[in-house]
Amino acid sequence: MRSFMMITQLGLNVMVPVFVCIFAGYYIDRYAGTKLTLLFLILGFLAGGLNAYRMAKAAIAMDEKEEKEEDKRVRMERQKKGHTGAHKPKQPSRVNRDDDGKLL
């Protein structure tokens, strides 16, 4: 579902500026008698490309953030799983001592 939403949003982010610029150029040409539709069409494509770039960059950043959070969660689970809270008992000394504490 998330991929479907991203594709739809990408299409809208690219096509809306193109159509808005085409209509703006058409109405300016119609009422002012100029030939600016082609210029506005090019500006619409540039704006759509910029929108697509920004959206892709934000999506990549969001994916990286989610991966970092998932890695952090997995590391925390591994630490909890590996650490039982009990410590290894202290090993007796290998140095031989007599009752007074002197080395043998």
Side-chain angles (χ1 to χ4, degrees):
M1 188 67 173
R2 183 175 176 184
S3 297
F4 178 71
M5 289 184 342
M6 292 292 287
I7 291 170
T8 303
Q9 189 176 7
L10 180 65
L12 289 173
N13 279 337
V14 172
M15 296 310 294
V16 167
V18 173
F19 286 124
V20 168
C21 286
I22 289 173
F23 288 129
Y26 172 75
Y27 283 114
I28 289 173
D29 285 349
R30 187 172 174 190
Y31 292 113
T34 61
K35 300 289 183 190
L36 295 176
T37 303
L38 183 61
L39 176 65
F40 277 86
L41 176 66
I42 293 169
L43 288 175
F45 279 123
L46 292 175
L50 181 62
N51 285 344
Y53 172 75
R54 287 179 180 167
M55 186 181 141
K57 190 174 177 182
I60 290 170
M62 186 171 54
D63 287 342
E64 288 176 355
K65 181 180 176 184
E66 288 175 357
E67 286 178 11
K68 285 181 183 179
E69 289 174 359
E70 179 66 21
D71 288 344
K72 183 178 178 182
R73 185 187 61 79
V74 169
R75 274 189 272 121
M76 293 297 286
E77 287 178 4
R78 285 182 186 166
Q79 286 178 352
K80 288 180 183 178
K81 189 176 182 181
H83 183 64
T84 60
H87 296 285
K88 184 177 179 182
K90 187 175 182 180
Q91 298 292 325
S93 176
R94 290 183 274 164
V95 177
N96 292 327
R97 298 178 186 258
D98 64 359
D99 293 337
D100 295 334
K102 295 180 182 178
L103 293 175
L104 295 174

